Amino acid sequence: MLSLAQGVGVLHQDMFPRYIETFDANTISDKTKKHPVLSAFFWHSDIISKDETLYLVIKSNSTQLQAIQLNFLLSKVMFFTNIPLLLIFVAAFLIPVFLSFRRKNQQHKTLKHLNQQAQMLLDAFKIDFSSQQHSPSNLIKLDLAITQLCERVTQYQRETETNIVQDKLTGLADRHAYLSHLETQLNHAQNNQQKQALLFIDLDGFKQVNDSFGHSFGDEVLIQVSDRLRNVIRTHHLSHVHPSNLIEQNLSRLGGDEFSIFIEELTEAERAVDVAQSVLFEIERDFVLGNKIIKIGASIGIAVFPDSASTPYALLQMADVAMYRAKTDGRGIFRIYSPEMGSKMRRYHYLLEEMRLALTSQNFSLSFQPIVHVEDCSIDYFEALVRWTHPVEGNITPGEFIPIAEESNLILELGDWIMQEACRQMSAWYNAGMRKVRISVNVSGVQLKHRPLHDWIMAMLGKAGLPAHALMLEITESCFIEASDAVIEQLELLRNEGVLIAIDDFGTGFSSLSTLAELPVDIIKIDKLFIDQANENPKYNKILNSISELGKELNLKVVAEGIEHAEQFELVKNLGIQCVQGYLVSRPESSRNVGHKVLTQNLNHIAATGTGVWLPQEQDKSDKGAYRSYQI
């Protein structure tokens, strides 16, 4: 780049001679001196001042200087030179323009990027933003997109908060939200010394709806139940709606077919009873689903705060205990919790834990009760019966611990042990000569539901080395009624293997004869109830006769349970019933006693027939005839 002096020097000096002056270098004094500021500003050029006139030095040597007036130069010459000052002036104008353009370009790119990001969010939330795409301004587009996204995020947040605390099927508060609400209300009631109440509602007969019509019908019933319970809440002025999610907090579906209603102000005990009666009335009304009319009921437990419990979980548990008492007492009713019910619940949990320990320490044992033919008292089969000898309490009856095992599913583990031990014992007797005798094992509804019957039974038989024809399964009539098609198919497979199937407690489950004809059954066991009443009530006698005839027509063996007296034995014998079981024949015996009585005393008979003889026990020593009449 040329300096200003060099730029002027290239021009012909004749163009402006009168503006050029010559100065003696040695005479430059204070009146003619360099200007310090301007000299520094103009690169490689000196500015001198004389008589308040500024000159640009264009040529110099050791003796003289040639300079041109600066004001003339700026007005005439600067146009044609490439000097820094011109560039500064140009830059001063162009740089702001450039920076403004660059800033706008950057803003445009940023807005474009933000709009792309916003569009991705709009697509994620499935928001149709096409109607705004014609807008010429990216900033307007971004503003509209953010507005739409804020509205959707607010809606999504509200829906999420609602879904977290809401039962998806019925729209009621779920268990977690309900318990949280209870905690708040109980604290408030405690501070104000108020009484409150909780209703635990369990539907009666709902499982049959699912099994008979399918889960879609069951879901519709649950939805209608929730609507009816909402009506109860409104009628009794119990409503407490959450301010943000608008969910009724005093009504909850706890899970399955269990519901609960909370009464915040229990001014009098009758109020909880009135609510319970309203619930029973609403639930017992017909449910119309398409062209079907469905009837169900409800059992209700009531717990009062603070009388029954002082925490949400405990209050709900006590109401649950009362509900189970309502089911035990006949269903379709309500019960109010009492301490006696709590004792029963504590007993339940105590025995449950003790059973787990008993399984680990092998405190269970099997007894075997013989079932004999009425004609010759030969043994048809032994029923394996589980016994529990507790180290502290002694013998605990099956009637107490079996229902607990079934409710807790501990029957699965216990049932495995029973089946394995029964098959092992029968295998020993079978190998000792009792090849015409079977072992009978009870199978619960829980096992039918959770065990693959065919594979499970065949594995047990294979492990014990027992042939399939030496095993019989006893299933209660009620379990047969509730059995699925898959269970029936499994039982058919077992029958094809040689395993016999018996209906236990026949006559108590109200099964139809058509159902009986279709079931995979070989033996009918008449419940003890009919035997006890037969000699007292002629109608029961006729029922026994009908069952005996039914067994003959369907080619089913009939066994009479609970034979304890000689008159009962004679009755069933006269009715043509083939086999009997009961204390008259024998109480359940240990495997040692069975071996001694059968194998030791009847070796020849066993060798000849493959079975032993078990004579009835003499019940009355003064009645010698009764004993002799059963001698073979």
Side-chain angles (χ1 to χ4, degrees), residues 206-494:
F206 178 74
K207 185 178 185 301
Q208 285 74 14
V209 174
N210 273 336
D211 293 343
S212 301
F213 303 106
H215 289 282
S216 60
F217 270 74
D219 289 346
E220 182 59 33
V221 168
L222 293 176
I223 293 172
Q224 291 191 27
V225 167
S226 66
D227 291 338
R228 297 185 185 187
L229 293 179
R230 285 190 182 97
N231 183 53
V232 172
I233 289 287
R234 289 190 295 267
T235 302
H236 290 271
H237 307 291
L238 303 176
S239 181
H240 187 134
V241 178
H242 193 279
S244 61
N245 57 41
L246 304 180
I247 295 177
E248 174 58 60
Q249 298 184 91
N250 283 341
L251 173 61
S252 171
R253 181 191 177 203
L254 302 175
D257 60 344
E258 296 176 342
F259 297 82
S260 182
I261 291 176
F262 183 65
I263 303 174
E264 295 181 5
E265 295 183 11
L266 191 67
T267 54
E268 52 187 13
E270 289 75 12
R271 190 179 188 198
V273 172
D274 291 341
V275 175
Q277 289 175 339
S278 296
V279 171
L280 293 175
F281 174 78
E282 288 290 337
I283 301 302
E284 289 171 358
R285 290 194 296 112
D286 293 347
F287 288 85
V288 180
L289 302 176
N291 60 350
K292 300 184 184 300
I293 296 178
I294 295 174
K295 289 182 175 292
I296 60 173
S299 296
I300 302 175
I302 302 174
V304 177
F305 171 87
D307 300 346
S308 303
S310 58
T311 66
Y313 290 97
L315 193 67
L316 194 63
Q317 185 181 26
M318 297 306 102
D320 189 14
V321 171
M323 182 274 295
Y324 271 106
R325 173 57 65 89
K327 283 189 177 292
T328 303
D329 291 348
R331 299 175 180 261
I333 57 177
F334 67 86
R335 287 290 181 264
I336 301 174
Y337 174 81
S338 65
E340 175 268 331
M341 297 179 187
S343 300
K344 186 176 181 180
M345 178 59 67
R346 287 190 292 273
R347 175 71 174 173
Y348 173 94
H349 289 291
Y350 166 73
L351 290 179
L352 180 60
E353 292 303 317
E354 291 297 302
M355 266 194 289
R356 291 193 175 101
L357 294 174
L359 281 169
T360 304
S361 56
Q362 297 182 347
N363 284 342
F364 289 102
S365 62
L366 289 185
S367 293
F368 304 90
Q369 188 172 27
I371 288 81
V372 301
H373 291 274
V374 295
E375 295 297 332
D376 56 3
C377 290
S378 61
I379 301 170
D380 188 69
Y381 66 91
F382 288 97
E383 181 177 358
L385 300 168
V386 64
R387 295 292 182 262
W388 181 14
T389 303
H390 191 273
V392 176
E393 297 192 19
N395 293 329
I396 299 177
T397 64
E400 185 175 14
F401 70 80
I402 290 296
I404 298 175
E406 290 180 333
E407 288 181 18
S408 63
N409 282 352
L410 197 62
I411 192 66
L412 296 174
E413 185 178 353
L414 179 59
D416 288 346
W417 179 85
I418 293 172
M419 184 65 68
Q420 180 178 345
E421 183 65 16
C423 291
R424 184 197 64 78
Q425 182 60 66
M426 189 61 226
S427 178
W429 290 338
Y430 184 87
N431 293 330
M434 287 196 289
R435 297 180 179 271
K436 295 290 183 67
V437 178
R438 294 180 174 86
I439 192 73
S440 172
V441 180
N442 292 278
V443 179
S444 76
V446 178
Q447 292 171 290
L448 293 178
K449 184 177 180 180
H450 294 282
R451 287 283 184 258
L453 284 178
H454 178 268
D455 294 343
W456 176 55
I457 295 297
M458 296 309 296
M460 290 291 183
L461 291 171
K463 188 175 182 179
L466 182 69
H469 65 78
L471 177 66
M472 184 171 80
L473 303 181
E474 293 193 22
I475 302 170
T476 62
E477 186 179 13
S478 58
C479 290
F480 264 118
I481 296 172
E482 298 174 358
S484 65
D485 293 339
V487 170
I488 299 301
E489 182 179 349
Q490 290 286 304
L491 293 175
E492 284 285 12
L493 291 175
L494 288 173

Side-chain angles (χ1 to χ4, degrees), residues 23-39:
F23 299 93
D24 187 350
N26 295 323
T27 62
I28 296 176
S29 61
D30 292 339
K31 293 184 179 180
T32 305
K33 60 182 179 181
K34 291 184 180 181
H35 196 285
V37 177
L38 293 176
S39 295

Side-chain angles (χ1 to χ4, degrees), residues 115-128:
N115 272 294
Q116 290 174 347
Q117 296 295 318
Q119 187 60 49
M120 292 174 62
L121 290 174
L122 291 169
D123 293 340
F125 281 102
K126 298 180 180 179
I127 299 175
D128 185 10

